[in-house]
Amino acid sequence: MDYPQWLLPTFIRSARAAGATASDEELSAAAMRLMGRWGAPNRHHHGLHHLCDMLSRITTLAPETHHPELVSLAAFYHGCVFSTADKDTYTRNGGENEVESARVARSELAAIGIAPATVDRVADLITGMKKQPREIDPTISTTLNAIDIDKLALRDAHLGALAAGPQKYTKYLDQVSKEYSHVPQEAFLRARREIIGKLLARRQIFLTPLGRQWEGPARDNLAGELERIETRLAALHDERSAEEAAPLPRGEERPLSPEEYAKLRQGNERVVEEIASPDSLPPAAKKESDRSSLETIPDDSEPGSPPRTLTTEKKKMAEREEIARKMQERMARRQRGLPGESIATPPSPVASPPSAPSQASPPSAPTPEWHDDDDSARAGFEREPDY
């Protein structure tokens, strides 16, 4: 665990000043347990560096305190219990839990031999960092004796992080946002804006005389952060409006809002009654098979429309198919012994004078007969006829 060398001796010295009777080894063990709490991995800002910075500011404010050793012990334990879980964040118990931290302080300080009254005082300082119900504004009184100066010093030391330089303040904001990275950005920014508004509305952020030196830098940092938050929230609002106005991709539907969903549920019974009977269906909801052929005619169809014109190539193909069909019919009639179609014979040519006898020509080959099981006939008509 990485921590400054002065941190452990500071705890032991403060415990001894508060009346601890345990040995140095027991005090060191208590300090190491405490450092383990502050060094948890979920602590990006509220970790050991935050504790060291707070102790340094307590040293600055120590001249004004009545019991600086008790203020120091309260600082060691003020945020030892820390949580950013949803169950704590959304019930405003997130971050440093002062009440639970005070309980840990009671147990640990009593174990190292500090008197019960002193333990109660340290626990009271820790819980005093959390604003109490109906708390009176300490700035109303001008008499410091009427004010718990030790409690105010602890508060001022804790809020002193707001007065850090620009670079350190930016780092502080980044670390806090990491601790609440699981919270939606818009919700985090709105919560942060509310906190800043309450701080800036105070007449004084820092209540101790020495702590008022941090007033100006803290207000400057808060005002700058508030301006950036307003700009970012406006940008998020514009982005959300643009997404809602943009058309959805085809086939996708925008999710219903709670109001739209409630209206839809209220109208479900009426819709079910309307669609329960087939007679109540609109004409467009009828099955395609129940519609007549006249209902399926497109609107642009007109009676007596001229036939579509065939191209030359398609016309030739149609003629060939017609010739092939007629030949098949004629062959079928021949096979059944029916008279074939009469084919006009061309006129015989004019008789010419006998010519000299020529050599005998060989007899012509007989014409083959067609049979149903002859594949040559079918195969031939599957090919394009050679006319």
Side-chain angles (χ1 to χ4, degrees):
M1 185 184 307
D2 186 17
Y3 58 89
Q5 294 182 354
W6 57 265
L7 191 59
L8 188 60
T10 300
F11 176 83
I12 296 175
R13 185 169 57 251
S14 298
R16 290 292 185 201
T21 59
S23 63
D24 289 345
E25 290 76 10
E26 292 174 328
L27 293 179
S28 297
M32 292 304 297
R33 288 194 300 270
L34 190 57
M35 298 306 104
R37 289 179 175 272
W38 284 100
N42 64 327
R43 291 172 176 259
H44 299 280
H45 168 69
H46 296 90
L48 285 170
H49 289 291
H50 166 68
L51 174 61
C52 292
D53 289 343
M54 188 170 173
L55 290 171
S56 298
R57 289 188 287 270
I58 285 176
T59 302
T60 302
L61 302 178
E64 296 179 344
T65 60
H66 296 304
H67 302 283
E69 71 282 356
L70 300 187
V71 176
S72 178
L73 282 178
F76 269 104
Y77 283 96
H78 83 278
C80 63
V81 177
F82 179 84
S83 174
T84 57
D86 290 346
K87 65 181 180 64
D88 296 324
T89 301
Y90 291 105
T91 56
R92 298 183 180 272
N93 293 319
E96 296 175 335
N97 191 322
E98 293 86 357
V99 175
E100 293 300 323
S101 297
R103 292 177 183 173
V104 174
R106 287 179 181 276
S107 175
E108 293 285 336
L109 295 178
I112 59 177
I114 297 180
T118 305
V119 171
D120 291 341
R121 175 57 178 163
V122 173
D124 181 59
L125 289 174
I126 296 173
T127 55
M129 296 180 63
K130 187 176 181 68
K131 187 174 181 179
Q132 305 300 315
R134 300 179 182 178
E135 183 181 47
I136 299 176
D137 187 352
T139 59
I140 296 177
S141 175
T142 57
T143 306
L144 292 179
N145 291 332
I147 302 173
D148 192 338
I149 190 65
D150 288 352
K151 187 179 294 185
L152 298 186
L154 188 63
R155 285 186 176 185
D156 283 0
H158 189 257
L159 292 176
L162 301 176
Q167 293 183 350
K168 191 170 183 179
Y169 191 78
T170 301
K171 184 179 180 181
Y172 152 73
L173 295 179
D174 292 341
Q175 292 173 340
V176 171
S177 64
K178 286 181 181 178
E179 289 178 345
Y180 294 94
S181 59
H182 59 286
V183 178
Q185 185 180 21
E186 185 172 356
F188 172 77
L189 292 175
R190 291 186 182 278
R192 186 75 184 175
R193 182 178 63 180
E194 181 182 353
I195 294 172
I196 294 174
K198 291 180 178 179
L199 288 172
L200 291 177
R202 294 182 181 181
R203 289 191 298 169
Q204 289 178 300
I205 298 176
F206 300 93
L207 304 179
T208 60
L210 287 176
R212 290 173 186 172
Q213 61 182 311
W214 301 322
E215 187 79 19
R219 288 189 177 273
D220 291 342
N221 287 335
L222 291 172
E225 183 187 357
L226 182 60
E227 183 178 355
R228 290 190 294 271
I229 287 176
E230 295 291 359
T231 302
R232 183 55 185 155
L233 286 174
L236 290 174
H237 180 269
D238 293 342
E239 292 174 4
R240 184 170 60 253
S241 300
E243 290 177 358
E244 293 175 354
L248 292 175
R250 195 171 187 179
E252 294 187 9
E253 295 182 358
R254 194 181 306 281
L256 296 177
S257 66
E259 295 78 10
E260 293 172 336
Y261 182 73
K263 291 180 180 179
L264 181 62
R265 292 192 61 182
Q266 292 176 359
N268 275 346
E269 294 182 1
R270 180 180 56 82
V271 173
V272 170
E273 291 177 358
E274 290 180 357
I275 68 173
S277 174
D279 298 335
S280 62
L281 291 176
K286 294 181 180 180
K287 294 182 180 180
E288 192 67 28
S289 59
D290 296 338
R291 300 171 66 184
S292 67
S293 59
L294 293 178
E295 291 177 329
T296 60
I297 296 178
D299 295 338
D300 57 352
S301 297
E302 298 180 359
S305 299
R308 56 192 181 92
T309 306
L310 297 177
T311 61
T312 305
E313 183 178 354
K314 291 184 177 180
K315 189 174 181 180
K316 289 182 178 180
M317 185 178 297
E319 291 176 353
R320 291 176 179 176
E321 292 176 354
E322 181 65 19
I323 294 173
R325 184 185 63 78
K326 289 182 178 180
M327 291 187 66
Q328 289 178 340
E329 292 179 357
R330 186 167 52 188
M331 291 171 54
R333 293 175 65 87
R334 286 180 180 177
Q335 292 176 359
R336 293 195 295 268
L338 299 176
E341 296 178 0
S342 58
I343 301 177
T345 57
S348 58
V350 180
S352 58
S355 58
S358 59
Q359 297 181 355
S361 18
S364 58
T367 303
E369 297 182 359
W370 294 97
H371 301 283
D372 291 338
D373 57 351
D374 190 354
D375 290 339
S376 61
R378 180 178 56 80
F381 286 113
E382 288 179 347
R383 298 189 299 272
E384 184 178 344
D386 207 8
Y387 298 114

